[in-house]
Amino acid sequence: MYSEIQRERPEVRNFMSHPDYIDGNPDLIKPKKLLNPVKASKSHQELHRELLMNHKRGLGVESKPELQRVLEHRRRNQLLRQKKEEEEAKKLQSPFEQELLKRQQRLDQLERGQEKHEEHAPEFIKVKENLRRTSTLTGEEKVV
């Protein structure tokens, strides 16, 4: 049945008009096929040559150069080692050490807040606090 349809179908060439340059008129300039600038480039030719060689050797297109694979493998192993070390460090900390770290962080935040507050204070308040500190130090030195 399919072969009958093909036989009945008229040729497509009969419907299309023929270009003038096929007639062989010597007065007409015959068009030339344009060069593809991508295929004409040196880098494209080298890439194509390399792909053909890899295909002949049986290497996949997606395979990476050996150096790049080794470097990625090392980076991945290094990151895994760092994560393991961090997890082990967290596991080795006792609850007491964890509580000490939390307190130390809170004290650091309080000190930063006080420093910011002191920066905005007027000069005479800073001088007064310095005098209080020196007077308490001299009093403590007398006791010792």
Side-chain angles (χ1 to χ4, degrees), residues 40-137:
S41 71
K42 187 81 171 171
S43 61
H44 179 80
Q45 291 173 356
E46 291 173 357
L47 177 65
H48 186 64
R49 191 177 310 120
E50 184 179 345
L51 287 172
L52 286 175
M53 288 177 57
N54 285 343
H55 181 69
K56 287 178 184 176
R57 286 192 277 163
L59 297 175
V61 177
E62 296 180 13
S63 65
K64 297 178 182 176
E66 185 178 355
L67 177 63
Q68 189 176 3
R69 276 185 282 155
V70 170
L71 290 175
E72 286 178 357
H73 183 70
R74 284 185 183 174
R75 266 188 241 122
R76 193 178 320 116
N77 286 342
Q78 186 179 10
L79 288 174
L80 289 174
R81 264 189 260 118
Q82 286 178 352
K83 288 180 182 178
K84 285 181 182 178
E85 289 174 1
E86 290 174 0
E87 289 176 5
E88 290 175 5
K90 288 180 181 179
K91 288 179 183 178
L92 294 177
Q93 286 182 349
S94 65
F96 178 70
E97 290 175 338
Q98 291 174 356
E99 190 64 33
L100 284 176
L101 284 175
K102 287 179 186 176
R103 286 186 181 188
Q104 184 180 5
Q105 290 173 354
R106 272 190 256 133
L107 286 174
D108 289 340
Q109 288 177 353
L110 288 173
E111 287 178 5
R112 284 189 218 123
Q114 287 177 354
E115 288 174 0
K116 289 180 182 177
H117 179 67
E118 289 175 0
E119 289 176 4
H120 298 296
E123 179 99 19
F124 69 92
I125 294 177
K126 292 178 185 176
V127 172
K128 187 177 180 182
E129 288 176 2
N130 287 339
L131 286 174
R132 284 185 189 163
R133 286 185 195 144
T134 55
S135 64
T136 56
L137 286 178

Side-chain angles (χ1 to χ4, degrees), residues 8-63:
E8 294 173 10
R9 196 174 74 179
E11 295 270 338
V12 177
R13 292 182 209 151
N14 294 337
F15 294 118
M16 294 178 63
S17 64
H18 294 286
D20 294 337
Y21 58 85
I22 292 180
D23 295 336
N25 189 351
D27 297 335
L28 295 176
I29 299 173
K30 294 181 181 178
K32 293 182 181 178
K33 186 173 181 180
L34 295 175
L35 292 177
N36 186 347
V38 174
K39 288 186 177 181
S41 71
K42 187 81 171 171
S43 61
H44 179 80
Q45 291 173 356
E46 291 173 357
L47 177 65
H48 186 64
R49 191 177 310 120
E50 184 179 345
L51 287 172
L52 286 175
M53 288 177 57
N54 285 343
H55 181 69
K56 287 178 184 176
R57 286 192 277 163
L59 297 175
V61 177
E62 296 180 13
S63 65

